[in-house]
Amino acid sequence: MFLLALTVAAPTFAQVSRDFPGIQAIPNYQPAPQNPNPSAIRVARLHYSGGGDWYWGGSAIPNFLRYVRQNTDFPVDTIERQVTIMDPELFKYPFLFATGHGVIKFSPEEKERLQRYLLGGGFLFVNDSYGMDKTFRDEMAKLFPERQVTEVPFDHPIYHGFYDFPAGPPKIHEHDNRPPRGYALIVNGRVVLYFLVESDIGDGWEDPQVHNDPAEKRDEALRMGLNLLTYALLN
């Protein structure tokens, strides 16, 4: 079922990428390294606009992908890739990760292309490492104006896919002494964009010495990440 889902989704991504005009004219664009396994799942960090530190937590994605490889049969590429919304390679990544402390903004052209990416089967996970909450929820609301930004209920499959989180997302880092919450844009019954606040599982993915998180917290963060990836690929 898993490989079938990927096989069906891939042409949609490639077709949208080919059809979108003007994406080749990106200054200093360099294609991502070739993947030795063309069927491997590739995850990319989103290099977003707005001034936020999109590059925050350099060890997070490689650690997470190694965890996925070690704990599942998913054929994952453990190399971190980086893309912008207007990158020609965007539609080759079914799962995008964005994090940081500042502002994410989408231009009109970026909104249009991100909408096409999400409607074509893509998934964007935004991890608030502190400071994104209000501005990004406003930006979410503008992305699909006809859709409400929804808090994801704790009985949603995203919390019960690979591992069980009956109380919702785990609390990894303290920000404002508030409980962790996940917000989503849902299109045709599918979460296409998941925004996590007051949790910061991205910090939990990093090398142990970066934040000195206990092993059980880091494990919770990695497990929640695997739930998100599983949901993105199978829904």
Side-chain angles (χ1 to χ4, degrees):
M1 179 179 179
F2 169 72
L3 291 178
L4 178 61
L6 289 181
T7 303
V8 172
T12 304
F13 278 72
Q15 181 181 2
V16 175
S17 180
R18 287 195 305 268
D19 291 346
F20 194 86
I23 59 177
Q24 301 297 333
I26 298 177
N28 303 316
Y29 169 73
Q30 294 182 352
Q34 291 299 309
N35 185 351
N37 179 3
S39 67
I41 301 160
R42 296 194 293 173
V43 171
R45 177 188 293 269
L46 183 63
H47 180 174
Y48 53 81
S49 305
D53 49 349
W54 61 272
Y55 45 81
W56 179 258
S59 62
I61 293 180
N63 285 343
F64 170 61
L65 293 174
R66 281 192 292 269
Y67 178 86
V68 174
R69 176 172 285 184
Q70 292 164 4
N71 289 275
T72 74
D73 293 328
F74 294 174
V76 294
D77 177 2
T78 56
I79 299 172
E80 176 181 319
R81 315 291 174 149
Q82 299 175 359
V83 294
T84 65
I85 293 174
M86 304 307 292
D87 194 312
E89 300 285 317
L90 177 71
F91 293 89
K92 295 182 179 180
Y93 301 97
F95 188 97
L96 299 179
F97 171 75
T99 192
H101 301 81
V103 176
I104 301 180
K105 287 288 186 184
F106 303 130
S107 69
E109 294 78 13
E110 287 174 330
K111 283 190 181 76
E112 180 184 352
R113 193 157 196 250
L114 183 56
Q115 287 168 354
R116 296 182 71 183
Y117 167 84
L118 298 173
L119 292 174
F123 184 93
L124 172 59
F125 165 41
V126 180
N127 175 78
D128 182 10
S129 202
Y130 196 52
M132 290 182 175
D133 190 3
K134 184 183 185 304
T135 57
F136 187 67
R137 272 198 277 169
D138 289 344
E139 199 70 359
M140 283 177 72
K142 298 173 187 174
L143 188 59
F144 289 97
E146 72 282 7
R147 308 276 177 182
Q148 286 191 333
V149 175
T150 304
E151 184 174 345
V152 182
F154 294 167
D155 62 353
H156 191 277
I158 215 162
Y159 298 126
H160 306 278
F162 208 96
Y163 294 105
D164 194 37
F165 288 90
K171 183 78 168 180
I172 307 302
H173 275 260
E174 187 59 70
H175 289 164
D176 286 328
N177 196 29
R178 296 175 182 171
R181 289 291 183 267
Y183 298 93
L185 284 172
I186 300 176
V187 179
N188 297 326
R190 173 180 176 263
V191 173
V192 298
L193 193 161
Y194 179 82
F195 178 44
L196 183 59
V197 301
E198 292 292 334
S199 170
D200 207 347
I201 68 171
D203 278 4
W205 294 357
E206 292 189 62
D207 290 340
Q209 68 274 17
V210 176
H211 300 287
N212 296 312
D213 291 321
E216 60 270 21
K217 286 294 184 184
R218 296 186 69 247
D219 192 55
E220 284 184 349
L222 292 162
R223 288 183 175 204
M224 184 65 214
L226 183 50
N227 271 28
L228 292 171
L229 180 63
T230 302
Y231 179 88
L233 296 173
L234 298 183
N235 289 275

